[in-house]
Amino acid sequence: MYEWISAHKDVLQTLASVGSFMIWLIYAQLLYFGFRRQRRPRLIINRGKRKNLDALCVISNMSAEPIYLQHIMMTLETSEGDWTLDVSDHEADLDDDEDQQEAGHNASHCTHQGPLDSGGFVHIGSFNALKERITTIADIDESRDGLVFKAVCVRVIGTYCSENLPIGAERRFVFHQSEDSCTLVPETWNTLQFSTRRQRRALKADIKRIHERQAQGEGEKAEKEDREE
């Protein structure tokens, strides 16, 4: 036995080196996959408090680092077309000077934009209130015959750590209409994550289009005010 080992020691040393290299390679891959999974951004979009239209739209950050929420897009799908609105900003009810002064020091009174800590969550209002915002801006008559509300899709776009490309998440909720109520049912059990480089480049293009539409809307609003004056 010892003679055989001595005669083949070079081959055995080579096999031992290759085996050690393979073990370290597998170990390094496990470390890399664990590190990448920990660093991967993850946003959860869900309904809270109720299951009907009065349910709160809750956004949770399950990433290892904070995420800066930049845009929250909501698309209302109907039988007569789809309407999309950026609901990241909201109007607070400022009844007196004290409320207005507090809103000036606290941005949460007028916007949902901002950093969301790891393990934190924020709600952006009820689905019914968000739906009414869209129907008001789009001038949709909800009592019109033949109009059917199909679903609502919520998309969140944000910035993760110091990365250059944005990240995003999306979830669609379907309207289930009964005789006396309407229930919101998530189309999928989880939230769709936009984390690949191709998807994040598409999100960057979406942000550019959002800014262009907002600039166009501000220009049209200014022209209207000038005509009224």
Side-chain angles (χ1 to χ4, degrees):
M1 181 66 178
Y2 292 107
E3 294 179 355
W4 184 87
I5 293 176
S6 299
H8 299 84
K9 63 179 181 179
D10 293 337
V11 177
L12 294 176
Q13 288 178 352
T14 302
L15 293 176
S17 299
V18 172
S20 299
F21 174 77
M22 294 298 296
I23 292 173
W24 280 107
L25 181 62
I26 294 173
Y27 183 68
Q29 284 183 332
L30 291 176
L31 288 177
Y32 170 73
F33 289 144
F35 174 78
R36 189 177 67 173
R37 183 170 56 252
Q38 185 179 13
R39 296 286 297 175
R40 183 180 299 167
R42 184 170 180 81
L43 288 167
I44 305 297
I45 304 171
N46 206 354
R47 58 186 182 180
K49 195 176 181 179
R50 293 182 177 89
K51 295 182 179 180
N52 55 15
L53 284 176
D54 292 327
L56 298 176
C57 183
V58 181
I59 301 172
S60 304
N61 178 19
M62 304 306 295
S63 312
E65 300 289 341
I67 291 178
Y68 184 90
L69 301 181
Q70 188 170 353
H71 293 284
I72 304 174
M73 309 300 298
M74 186 171 182
T75 300
L76 181 63
E77 303 175 14
T78 74
S79 57
E80 298 184 5
D82 302 341
W83 286 268
T84 301
L85 178 67
D86 187 350
V87 296
S88 53
D89 295 332
H90 62 90
E91 295 182 359
D93 294 329
L94 306 177
D95 297 330
D96 50 36
D97 295 337
E98 185 177 351
D99 290 337
Q100 294 180 11
Q101 185 177 3
E102 184 179 359
H105 295 286
N106 189 355
S108 63
H109 282 74
C110 56
T111 183
H112 298 295
Q113 297 184 47
L116 184 60
D117 292 335
S118 175
F121 69 93
V122 64
H123 78 79
I124 60 174
S126 68
F127 283 91
N128 191 41
L130 296 171
K131 167 177 161 288
E132 289 181 355
R133 280 185 62 183
I134 296 178
T135 55
T136 300
I137 293 176
D139 195 20
I140 302 173
D141 184 5
E142 298 188 39
S143 61
R144 186 164 59 242
D145 293 337
L147 179 63
V148 178
F149 294 101
K150 297 180 178 180
V152 61
C153 183
V154 180
R155 173 180 288 194
V156 180
I157 303 176
T159 303
Y160 186 59
C161 297
S162 59
E163 299 183 12
N164 294 325
L165 292 174
I167 58 98
E170 181 181 278
R171 199 172 190 187
R172 187 171 178 265
F173 299 86
V174 180
F175 293 109
H176 279 211
Q177 187 72 45
S178 60
E179 293 182 358
D180 55 351
S181 64
C182 180
T183 305
L184 275 179
V185 179
E187 188 178 42
T188 57
W189 70 271
N190 63 341
T191 304
L192 177 63
Q193 306 294 321
F194 298 111
S195 56
T196 66
R197 185 166 293 274
R198 181 178 180 181
Q199 291 172 332
R200 295 170 72 178
R201 282 199 297 265
L203 287 176
K204 189 175 181 180
D206 289 342
I207 292 176
K208 183 178 179 180
R209 285 193 291 268
I210 292 170
H211 290 169
E212 290 175 350
R213 286 199 300 267
Q214 290 176 344
Q216 183 180 0
E218 291 295 330
E220 293 176 353
K221 182 179 179 180
E223 290 179 0
K224 183 179 180 181
E225 292 177 352
D226 292 339
R227 288 195 299 267
E228 292 177 352
E229 292 178 357

